[in-house]
Amino acid sequence: MSRIGILNFPGHMNHGANLTAYALQQVLCGLGHHVENVHLRCNYKLYKDRNFTDFADAHIRMTSKSAAGVKSMQIFNADFDTFIVGSDQVWRCSDAEESWMRPWEDCYRLAFVEPGKRRIAMAASFGRDDFTENPAVREEFATELQRYAAISVREQSGVGILASLGDFQVQRVIDPVFYLPVEHWDALADHQGRVVSANCMAYNSFFFFEHIKAYTAAAGRHFDAYDLCSGSTAQWLAAIRDSQLVITDSYHVCCFCLIFGTPFVCLSSPGRGMARFEGLSAVFGFSPNRIINVEQVEDVPSAVAKLATLPLEKENIDIAIERERQVALDWLRRALEAPVPEWCGPAFNKASEAEITAEIKQNYNFQMLGFLQRRICLLNILLQISPLFRKRLKRYKAKYEQMLNNFAW
């Protein structure tokens, strides 16, 4: 039996992240291992929503300790002999300095893991079909990858990215949410009463909501619209299962549409990561027409309307899920027994207490910076539309700008 630490995205504002971590945890526990999800404090929101956290609190085993970055995460080496990173876009590297993931990219490459520990990448995703152009980052990442006992990626495009970084043995496997049978997910869905009506269109979009809004306005009252972000994880699952159509820009919403056999339309763009959705189409054999590139389509609502009645190829999808699930689980069993490579590259640098303290402070500042910037942006909007409270809003804005100025980088 191995002591396994899973490192994935925090799910405090994301049902898909929670269910991905949960699925991999369930599979590993079923294989007889001791499993916990490593608590990395990289929340890009400073508040938590119980619609999301209630599921995690009830179903996901988290470490009692938490850490803020690659140096402070070295404390977990005492607790685990195997570390697994993934699934989801854990290896998505942005060349933009404002990327929320910027301080924690090394964490998701398992750079904190000391020699002698087994590292595994399970269905890790780059989220797009290219990687950073920064030569130093590419070289550092390639060195870290040599220390992995086994590497799998979620998209075929990820295989090509790793080939550009070095000569690595890489397996493409599907996302962990597919590793559990549909009956398992159905049991977790809300059964207290029907979450959506019998004639419901569900939607989930953070980036293309205006297109969905225009489509629903044009469609009139032919259906009831339900916001998948408005309820608990159990309600989220039930709504995807029971809706007549789902419109989304979420990867995991698409995955659960495939699991439940619910017709869907996916909105995306190259910047959002078209490769993720095109990879789903290639593996499960559904029509690529379901994926709309909003940057290439002039009238998105009309394009959605044309796809709204397109049936899902459920029988072929179910066969593909079963085939791909077996491939992934067989690979995982082998990966858990793979030998740990000899340490290569620079010697492991154990962090001092002073370095850990400095890192925690810096990452806290990074989170606070994002919080203050969002608050100032909101106040700017309110100042334009709320003349009645303009004086009070100006005081609040001045307060947050002062707090922003007090943070030194």
Side-chain angles (χ1 to χ4, degrees):
M1 180 185 78
S2 294
R3 297 175 301 152
I4 301 174
I6 300 173
L7 182 59
N8 220 319
F9 283 159
H12 60 283
M13 290 293 290
N14 191 306
H15 295 303
N18 274 332
L19 295 175
T20 300
Y22 167 80
L24 185 54
Q25 169 192 287
Q26 290 298 106
V27 168
L28 291 168
C29 287
L31 295 175
H33 302 287
H34 171 78
V35 183
E36 293 181 73
N37 283 263
V38 174
H39 188 180
L40 169 61
R41 296 201 306 271
C42 65
N43 299 347
Y44 50 94
K45 299 275 189 181
L46 293 183
Y47 62 89
K48 295 180 182 291
D49 188 328
R50 289 192 60 183
N51 277 341
F52 302 89
T53 56
D54 280 356
F55 177 88
D57 292 342
H59 297 285
I60 296 178
R61 299 178 183 175
M62 295 295 298
T63 55
S64 58
K65 297 180 288 189
S66 63
V70 70
K71 295 184 185 297
S72 55
M73 289 190 75
Q74 292 182 15
I75 61 174
F76 295 114
N77 284 308
D79 300 324
F80 304 106
D81 49 58
T82 296
F83 290 87
I84 298 180
V85 61
S87 176
D88 223 332
Q89 301 174 71
V90 290
W91 286 349
R92 185 179 185 120
C93 182
S94 172
D95 288 319
E97 286 300 325
E98 65 271 15
S99 169
W100 76 267
M101 207 176 146
R102 173 65 58 189
W104 300 289
E105 286 172 352
D106 285 344
C107 300
Y108 287 108
R109 294 169 194 155
L110 302 183
F112 62 90
V113 177
E114 66 187 13
K117 306 287 184 180
R118 182 182 288 106
R119 307 183 190 196
I120 297 172
M122 189 68 205
S125 174
F126 292 90
R128 55 189 196 181
D129 54 10
D130 62 352
F131 190 52
T132 179
E133 297 179 359
N134 187 321
V137 174
R138 292 176 65 88
E139 184 178 348
E140 290 172 7
F141 190 24
T143 300
E144 294 293 348
L145 289 170
Q146 295 176 47
R147 299 165 184 167
Y148 278 69
I151 302 172
S152 65
V153 291
R154 199 174 66 181
E155 289 89 29
Q156 189 63 36
S157 57
V159 177
I161 290 173
L162 291 177
S164 73
L165 294 174
D167 184 18
F168 302 107
Q169 293 293 317
V170 183
Q171 173 75 46
R172 182 202 56 75
V173 298
I174 55 176
D175 191 275
V177 297
F178 292 105
Y179 304 169
L180 300 179
V182 63
E183 294 80 10
H184 190 109
W185 297 120
D186 184 58
L188 285 175
D190 193 331
H191 290 275
Q192 299 303 311
R194 194 173 179 90
V195 174
V196 298
S197 68
N199 189 34
C200 179
M201 179 215 78
Y203 62 91
N204 185 118
S205 177
F206 295 104
F207 297 91
F208 308 116
F209 178 71
E210 289 304 316
H211 294 303
I212 296 174
K213 185 178 178 181
Y215 168 71
T216 56
R221 294 299 301 169
H222 298 306
F223 52 76
D224 295 319
Y226 176 80
D227 182 0
L228 286 169
C229 296
S230 64
S232 66
T233 302
Q235 291 170 330
W236 187 86
L237 286 167
I240 294 174
R241 179 194 62 197
D242 298 336
S243 293
Q244 298 299 306
L245 173 69
V246 173
I247 306 176
T248 185
D249 61 14
S250 163
Y251 179 87
H252 283 107
V253 170
C254 292
C255 289
F256 279 98
C257 285
L258 295 172
I259 290 169
F260 287 123
T262 304
F264 67 95
V265 176
C266 173
L267 306 180
S268 191
S269 66
R272 285 281 298 131
M274 288 288 292
R276 298 179 296 151
F277 303 106
E278 291 167 348
L280 278 178
S281 174
V283 171
F284 295 105
F286 64 82
S287 172
N289 293 331
R290 290 189 183 277
I291 307 166
I292 298 176
N293 184 342
V294 298
E295 293 183 4
Q296 294 182 353
V297 175
E298 186 172 332
D299 188 350
V300 175
S302 295
V304 172
K306 292 177 182 178
L307 297 170
T309 57
L310 181 67
L312 194 65
E313 305 86 337
K314 188 174 187 319
E315 184 176 345
N316 292 337
I317 289 169
D318 287 345
I319 293 172
I321 289 176
E322 186 59 37
R323 179 191 68 238
E324 293 290 331
R325 175 190 295 143
Q326 199 57 53
V327 170
L329 294 179
D330 288 345
W331 182 89
L332 179 59
R333 291 187 185 95
R334 294 194 302 271
L336 291 168
E337 298 176 355
V340 178
E342 291 187 13
W343 189 264
C344 60
F348 184 73
N349 182 22
K350 193 168 181 64
S352 67
E353 188 172 338
E355 289 176 311
I356 291 174
T357 302
E359 179 185 70
I360 291 172
K361 182 178 179 181
Q362 181 183 15
N363 288 338
Y364 172 77
N365 285 353
F366 183 88
Q367 296 176 67
M368 280 300 299
L369 178 69
F371 169 77
L372 294 171
Q373 288 174 332
R374 287 190 296 271
R375 184 58 60 91
I376 293 169
C377 180
L378 174 61
L379 288 169
N380 281 333
I381 296 172
L382 293 175
L383 281 168
Q384 296 176 30
I385 64 176
S386 305
L388 186 63
F389 300 103
R390 188 159 290 167
K391 187 178 293 186
R392 182 178 297 179
L393 291 171
K394 284 182 178 178
R395 288 202 304 268
Y396 286 146
K397 182 183 177 185
K399 168 189 170 184
Y400 287 115
E401 286 178 338
Q402 182 61 43
M403 292 172 65
L404 185 64
N405 293 332
N406 288 338
F407 279 100
W409 279 82

